[in-house]
């Protein structure tokens, strides 16, 4: 089976005034569909850049990037946006919920933006898996950090993306909420079959994954299977 994500000699160079910043320096990567992959590495090594390129948020400079068979290097900004809406769900460290909308509307809006309209069954399954049934009428400020992140995860997965990209999703949570959020992410990965790619600094978080990619200086240094991956 073709991997759902594949890169070859992927470079990303930012231009900051006259200075060139090579954030990715020839990344070669293959991720199978349904895998849960953690990306680790020191600050500034290119983890977020890799996630943003794979998610179509920023264009690659050169190399090959295939996402579900689509070559991102050949796409216009508009095509990448469409691919992102249809195939990618994002989860961020700071939740990024819309503060004036209830949890319900934060999640439902994602389905509308994705373009296929509202699917009540899918909505219900997602909300139940994330334990949010009783919290739907609340606005983000009325929810705990863990609950806000669960709403953000529901928003990311509700339109059934192929790939969920999570940038330090537990970075703003205490230990207990981190544990809950990780177990739910893993359960979603297992039950819905979405490929999950997650950035973390924390080895305890990475231990939930099937595989850990270690990055340094814009490259993947090595890839390590997690032998006794923590269960959902
Ligand atoms: P990490 O997520 O591992 O901390 P990043 O991908 O955020 O690393 O950053 C990789 C490198 O690219 C760093 O040197 C960072 O300063 C630089 N960088 C990231 N985003 C930009 C940007 N928008 N413009 C210029 N340089 C950037």
């Amino acid at each position: 089976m073709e991997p759902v994500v594949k890169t070859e000699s992927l470079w990303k160079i930012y231009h900051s005034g006259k200075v060139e910043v090579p954030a990715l320096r020839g990344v070669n990567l293959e991720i199978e569909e349904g895998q849960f992959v953690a990306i680790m590495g020191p600050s500034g090594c290119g983890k977020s850049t890799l996630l943003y390129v794979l998610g179509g948020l920023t264009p690659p400079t050169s190399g090959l990037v295939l996402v579900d068979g689509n070559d991102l290097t050949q796409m216009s900004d508009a095509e990448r946006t469409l691919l992102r809406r249809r195939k990618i769900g994002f989860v961020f460290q700071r939740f990024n919920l819309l503060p004036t909308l209830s949890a319900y509307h934060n999640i439902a809006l994602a389905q509308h933006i994705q373009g296929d309209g509202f699917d009540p069954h899918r909505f219900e399954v997602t909300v139940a898996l994330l334990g949010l049934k009783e919290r739907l009428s609340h606005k983000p400020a009325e929810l705990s950090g863990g609950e806000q992140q669960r709403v953000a995860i529901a928003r990311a997965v509700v339109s059934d993306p192929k790939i969920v990209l999570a940038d330090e999703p537990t970075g703003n949570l205490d230990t207990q909420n981190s544990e809950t959020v990780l177990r739910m992410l893993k359960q979603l990965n297992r039950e819905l079959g979405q490929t999950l790619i997650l950035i973390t600094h924390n080895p305890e978080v990475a231990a939930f994954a099937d595989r850990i990619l270690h990055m340094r200086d814009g490259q993947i240094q090595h890839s390590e299977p997690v032998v006794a991956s923590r269960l959902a």
Side-chain angles (χ1 to χ4, degrees), residues 32 67 166 176:
E32 301 301 326
V67 172
Q176 201 184 342

Side-chain angles (χ1 to χ4, degrees), residues 54-152:
L54 296 180
L57 282 175
T58 186
T61 304
S62 65
L64 178 80
V65 186
L66 290 176
V67 172
D68 197 26
N70 302 278
D71 185 356
L72 265 62
T73 48
Q74 304 300 318
M75 284 187 183
S76 65
D77 285 355
E79 287 168 334
R80 267 190 294 109
T81 301
L82 207 60
L83 179 92
R84 189 166 71 238
R85 281 193 199 146
R86 296 212 174 280
K87 303 208 184 252
I88 311 284
F90 274 101
V91 180
F92 300 97
Q93 182 173 352
R94 292 179 201 285
F95 322 137
N96 294 7
L97 298 172
L98 293 170
T100 55
L101 297 185
S102 65
Y104 177 93
H105 284 109
N106 264 287
I107 302 166
L109 188 65
Q111 269 195 340
H112 286 297
I113 289 174
Q114 196 259 359
D116 288 342
F118 185 68
D119 176 345
H121 175 67
R122 173 105 202 147
F123 185 92
E124 228 174 86
V125 169
T126 306
V127 163
L129 277 170
L130 286 155
L132 288 168
K133 267 187 183 165
E134 311 301 323
R135 316 302 286 159
L136 288 176
S137 61
H138 294 272
K139 291 191 176 151
E142 299 157 358
L143 299 169
S144 72
E147 287 169 340
Q148 288 184 58
Q149 192 59 303
R150 277 148 55 195
V151 173

Side-chain angles (χ1 to χ4, degrees), residues 189-203:
N189 164 255
R190 292 301 191 250
E191 291 191 12
L192 305 180
Q194 293 158 342
T195 307
L196 174 59
I197 307 174
L198 176 151
I199 292 176
T200 183
H201 279 103
N202 185 345

